[in-house]
Amino acid sequence: MKKQYVLKKVLQSLVTIFFVIVFNYFLFRIMPGNPLAMIMRNPRASAEAIERTKELFGLGRPWYMQFFIYLGNLLEGDLGLSFIHKRPVIEVIWSRIMPTIIMVGLAQILSIVVGILMGVISAWKRGTKIDVIALSFSLVTYSVPTFWLGIILISVFSIGLRLFPTSGMLTPGRTFYDTVSMLKDYASHLFLPVLTLSLVLIGEYALTMRNTLLDVLTEDYMTTAKAKGFDDNYIIKKHAVPNAMLPMITLIAINMGLIIGGTIQVETIFSWPGLGRLMYEALNGRDYPLLQGIFLLITISVILANLIADITYSYLDPRVKS
Amino acid sequence: MELLRINNLKTYFNISSGTVKAVDDVSLTLDYGESLGLVGESGCGKTTTALSITQLLPSEGSIVSGEILLEGKNIVNLSDTEIKKVRWKEVSMIFQGAMNALNPVMRIGDQIAEAIILHEKLSYKDAIKRVEELFQLVELEPKRISNYPHEFSGGMKQRAMIAMALACNPKLIIGDEPTTALDVMVQAQILNLLDKLRKELNMGIILITHDLSILGETCDKIAVMYAGKIVETGYVEDIYNNNKHPYTYKLLSSFPNIHKERVMPDAIEGIPPDLINPPSGCRFHPRCPYAKDICGKEEPRMELANEGHYYACHFGGVYNEK
Ligand SMILES: Nc1ncnc2c1ncn2[C@@H]1O[C@H](COP(=O)(O)OP(=O)(O)OP(=O)(O)O)[C@@H](O)[C@H]1O
Ligand code: SF4
Ligand SMILES: [Mg+2]
């Protein structure tokens, strides 16, 4: 029964991905700006040079031919050539994907653990000083704009306290004689971007967890659990949290998907060489194939994240029908 | 020895608009194997009385004064740890399982087993074996212990709730509207089951309801509650055929009675009073058709009608005089 449900969800996701590909393709056809001019970057290019470039990037053919070629290539993992990098899009994306995954992954793990814990404590100690502090903290970090938070952290930790570097992934020009010192340098560059992203997410997770838990605590089955003679810790852990986690799963999954693209701000502020920054660069250079590739990756990751959420949910909530 | 004796219990809620005198000087007694029906309109304090017994009140509520003697031992001032041992082991409850009293994401068998493990210190395996026996006792298929609540019908959930209440062989079971929201047939089955089990296991039962008509066959005694006070109490016979309090009389005639000739149910006029500022004298006087001057000035005392039958009215049985 569960298998059927999973299969159905997987098929649904595949169909969605197909439509996304179609939509993604045509969206880029109707965007303004002449890609040819962008590739050439030379107003006095000869007619011959223009022709050759058109040929190289397949810009001369009719749109439907271009589309089928695109689809065929896509199946082979070929996303075309990047206009600005003059390299296959897939290679460009690949070289920038790890820094984002590491940063986002760390920030997610950190904020899930801290956020949920804070939410639980807040709800349980509702109305006490701890709750007020946690709640104000969450509200502030949740509502502050990411770039502003990033700049504040830079000015405090990098410029003021000189604890962490302001930008990049490794100190430029420095040679590393062993892995440990390189990892140390990497970690010190990673710290502030991860902190920025985590702070924003912690607020969101803590607030959501607190609210759902408060709702759950008023349910009748909480009174049943108390009437059975259990202590508060057990009731929270065994009865309240499993019920409150259900909405959290969805939220976490949505964030997982969105955040690959949503790191533009953080990556730009900290010059973190990940996908968010790559997208920013591609946007500036009107690099259609690259943008298209990134968009595709983002949408697919959103769809996959939702798929994972649906499947996890179906295992956590027995009420999900197959 | 008496199983339960409540002496002059007062349970109040402190809320911003004042003190709600939800239970105001309630006394009652219950013997082993005996069943008491607690009836009254919505908001008269039935649930609050029940929750006071094992200190399950919400944080705004507290027992102001009075004694609750369980097998002669006062349990009003028990510490947190001590009362937890009384809960479910000595006094268990049947909530409206048909509604939301069972945790939706936990297997029903596990919800029962956890109480057995807590109080009887059995292993999980032995506890589950006991759950299977309990399921047989309440006429549910033992293999359904691994179901989740949503896989049960309302009646089945109520049976599961009863199995849960019996899990640790309690001396007293309190059913708070255990059959509300069930259809009449199922309601009768559940009440019969409870009746049978009570006699077999020699437990005391308090059945809370606002429907006097269902108590005839399942209760030995009835206590009628109005605005935080018990206004009349006695054996079923006394209450049904020889009642002395106008409120009891009105309450009885507000339900169609299948044993007597058909009469139109006669709703009680007016609304239950505000328990922050209850009416002076007899709390029923603003709605009582037989009220005289004294009723608003002096609170009627409990009068003895006959053995075990008491009522609180200045003009007991006035409605029978021609
Ligand atoms: N948590 C609370 N805070 C404030 N007042 C409360 C609270 N719980 C109950 N009350 C009040 O106490 C009174 C008695 O409530 P209680 O739930 O005991 O009534 P009841 O007889 O069980 O009613 P019902 O038939 O609707 O279940 C009501 O007036 C109610 O408004
Ligand atoms: S005391 Fe008076 S008001 Fe109260 S029930 Fe009796 S007759 Fe009615
Ligand atoms: Mg109630």
Side-chain angles (χ1 to χ4, degrees):
Chain A
M1 273 180 359
K2 278 276 143 71
K3 258 191 205 137
Q4 262 175 5
Y5 176 83
V6 171
L7 200 70
K8 195 179 117 200
K9 285 285 162 191
V10 170
L11 283 179
Q12 274 176 2
S13 304
L14 287 177
V15 172
T16 319
I17 288 175
F18 175 77
F19 280 108
V20 161
I21 290 171
V22 175
F23 178 77
N24 201 13
Y25 181 82
F26 288 104
L27 177 71
F28 280 87
R29 298 303 109 176
I30 55 168
M31 294 226 294
N34 177 1
L36 204 55
M38 297 305 300
I39 309 167
M40 307 291 293
R41 290 180 202 276
N42 180 358
R44 280 165 302 171
S46 67
E48 195 191 329
I50 292 177
E51 268 318 301
R52 254 196 309 129
T53 318
K54 265 190 173 175
E55 186 72 19
L56 184 63
F57 289 94
L59 291 171
R61 317 232 183 117
W63 64 267
Y64 52 89
M65 279 307 286
Q66 286 190 39
F67 177 65
F68 284 115
I69 292 169
Y70 174 77
L71 269 189
N73 290 344
L74 196 63
L75 286 177
E76 291 168 10
D78 179 0
L79 292 168
L81 278 182
S82 157
F83 292 167
I84 40 180
H85 294 267
K86 309 276 190 297
R87 277 196 299 149
V89 165
I90 194 107
E91 263 181 53
V92 179
I93 290 181
W94 195 243
S95 71
R96 302 286 284 265
I97 207 167
M98 264 342 257
T100 294
I101 289 183
I102 289 174
M103 185 184 81
V104 171
L106 278 177
Q108 276 279 9
I109 293 170
L110 192 73
S111 49
I112 288 171
V113 173
V114 177
I116 288 179
L117 222 63
M118 251 172 73
V120 171
I121 294 172
S122 240
W124 191 233
K125 304 274 173 201
R126 183 185 190 176
T128 64
K129 229 182 223 159
I130 301 176
D131 179 31
V132 174
I133 293 170
L135 195 61
S136 339
F137 174 83
S138 308
L139 278 172
V140 169
T141 58
Y142 179 47
S143 46
V144 140
T146 312
F147 67 88
W148 191 82
L149 191 62
I151 290 168
I152 295 286
L153 289 178
I154 286 181
S155 46
V156 174
F157 287 101
S158 307
I159 301 169
L161 299 171
R162 296 183 171 281
L163 284 175
F164 300 101
T166 52
S167 69
M169 199 162 73
L170 289 170
T171 312
R174 185 170 156 192
T175 30
F176 298 98
Y177 298 103
D178 56 286
T179 346
V180 177
S181 64
M182 193 179 87
L183 279 179
K184 263 192 192 156
D185 193 55
Y186 189 85
S188 75
H189 281 85
L190 189 58
F191 186 84
L192 286 183
V194 168
L195 184 65
T196 310
L197 203 54
S198 303
L199 281 177
V200 178
L201 288 173
I202 285 173
E204 190 180 2
Y205 291 155
L207 287 175
T208 313
M209 191 66 192
R210 179 182 184 273
N211 280 345
T212 40
L213 201 58
L214 283 180
D215 283 345
V216 168
L217 289 178
T218 64
E219 296 281 359
D220 294 344
Y221 51 81
M222 298 310 293
T223 316
T224 310
K226 197 174 170 202
K228 285 198 267 185
F230 289 109
D231 57 40
D232 295 344
N233 266 337
Y234 181 93
I235 295 173
I236 287 276
K237 246 192 347 230
K238 284 283 199 162
H239 290 277
V241 171
N243 277 285
M245 275 315 282
L246 299 176
M248 286 302 286
I249 298 289
T250 316
L251 180 66
I252 290 169
I254 290 171
N255 277 337
M256 286 278 190
L258 282 183
I259 215 143
I260 303 248
T263 51
I264 295 191
Q265 292 190 33
V266 179
E267 291 189 358
T268 308
I269 302 163
F270 293 98
S271 301
W272 188 257
L275 280 180
R277 231 181 102 83
L278 185 65
M279 184 150 84
Y280 178 72
E281 291 161 12
L283 209 59
N284 269 344
R286 288 234 170 75
D287 191 339
Y288 283 176
L290 185 53
L291 266 182
Q292 214 168 2
I294 298 172
F295 271 36
L296 196 62
L297 186 75
I298 291 171
T299 29
I300 289 177
S301 58
V302 170
I303 293 167
L304 287 183
N306 274 299
L307 178 66
I308 293 170
D310 281 342
I311 293 173
T312 321
Y313 206 108
S314 77
Y315 279 94
L316 290 182
D317 189 347
R319 284 163 298 186
V320 174
K321 291 255 162 60
S322 44
Chain B
M1 192 176 25
E2 280 164 342
L3 171 58
L4 178 77
R5 169 177 283 273
I6 298 181
N7 286 331
N8 309 96
L9 178 72
K10 294 189 181 188
T11 303
Y12 295 172
F13 292 101
N14 269 311
I15 54 174
S16 55
S17 48
T19 302
V20 184
K21 301 185 182 98
V23 175
D24 210 8
D25 210 4
V26 160
S27 301
L28 53 86
T29 61
L30 186 72
D31 232 321
Y32 291 95
E34 211 174 37
S35 136
L36 169 81
L38 189 57
V39 289
E41 283 168 297
S42 185
C44 70
K46 306 181 295 293
T47 299
T48 308
T49 306
L51 294 180
S52 299
I53 296 175
T54 48
Q55 300 175 21
L56 290 169
L57 297 161
S59 55
E60 313 83 63
S62 61
I63 297 174
V64 180
S65 66
E67 287 181 322
I68 298 169
L69 305 169
L70 187 69
E71 299 190 301
K73 187 179 170 222
N74 191 357
I75 58 170
V76 160
N77 295 317
L78 287 190
S79 72
D80 214 34
T81 1
E82 286 168 324
I83 195 73
K84 274 185 189 124
K85 287 181 194 146
V86 175
R87 291 179 189 155
W88 226 256
K89 178 78 192 109
E90 320 249 327
V91 183
S92 68
M93 309 197 60
I94 301 171
F95 298 103
Q96 279 188 27
M99 305 307 280
N100 212 5
L102 294 165
N103 183 343
V105 303
M106 196 170 178
R107 292 178 198 281
I108 292 177
D110 290 346
Q111 296 189 45
I112 301 175
E114 65 172 4
I116 302 174
I117 293 166
L118 175 74
H119 293 287
E120 312 284 346
K121 311 278 180 283
L122 291 189
S123 69
Y124 178 75
K125 227 181 105 202
D126 292 341
I128 284 292
K129 214 179 273 160
R130 169 110 179 94
V131 177
E132 284 172 348
E133 290 164 17
L134 288 166
F135 260 45
Q136 254 156 357
L137 200 62
V138 298
E139 292 149 29
L140 285 171
E141 279 179 86
K143 68 166 199 264
R144 306 217 41 175
I145 59 167
S146 55
N147 281 170
Y148 288 95
H150 75 276
E151 295 168 294
F152 273 25
S153 69
M156 288 164 74
K157 276 190 242 181
Q158 209 51 62
R159 283 173 193 273
M161 257 328 288
I162 294 174
M164 188 188 276
L166 294 172
C168 305
N169 299 310
K171 299 173 181 117
L172 171 64
I173 292 189
I174 303 169
D176 193 351
E177 319 224 8
T179 59
T180 307
L182 298 178
D183 68 58
V184 189
M185 289 297 289
V186 182
Q187 189 169 324
Q189 285 169 8
I190 297 288
L191 290 174
N192 285 338
L193 175 69
L194 266 177
D195 206 35
K196 188 186 106 191
L197 292 169
R198 158 176 68 102
K199 285 169 185 152
E200 276 174 22
L201 306 170
N202 200 29
M203 301 175 302
I205 287 193
I206 298 178
L207 264 188
I208 295 176
T209 177
H210 50 251
D211 183 353
L212 247 177
S213 64
I214 66 167
L215 295 176
E217 281 111 79
T218 37
C219 289
D220 304 316
K221 298 198 292 190
I222 291 176
V224 180
M225 208 169 166
Y226 183 79
K229 289 183 178 294
I230 288 183
V231 293
E232 183 161 13
T233 173
Y235 289 95
V236 173
E237 250 317 284
D238 302 328
I239 301 295
Y240 273 40
N241 300 324
N242 190 26
N243 49 59
K244 298 283 182 212
H245 199 285
Y247 179 66
T248 310
Y249 180 70
K250 282 275 169 193
L251 199 62
L252 271 172
S253 53
S254 71
F255 285 98
N257 191 331
I258 48 169
H259 302 296
K260 290 189 181 159
E261 77 275 20
R262 281 176 71 95
V263 283
M264 276 306 283
D266 178 13
I268 306 173
E269 268 167 53
I271 50 160
D274 169 17
L275 294 183
I276 295 178
N277 295 305
S280 58
C282 171
R283 289 190 178 179
F284 189 51
H285 86 258
R287 297 168 77 187
C288 180
Y290 312 100
K292 304 247 163 61
D293 268 1
I294 185 177
C295 299
K297 290 183 188 131
E298 226 175 276
E299 190 180 335
R301 286 183 314 163
M302 272 289 184
E303 309 279 352
L304 179 70
N306 50 281
E307 168 76 50
H309 178 194
Y310 298 87
Y311 64 93
C313 172
H314 290 301
F315 307 101
V318 55
Y319 39 85
N320 288 325
E321 292 158 18
K322 294 276 144 61

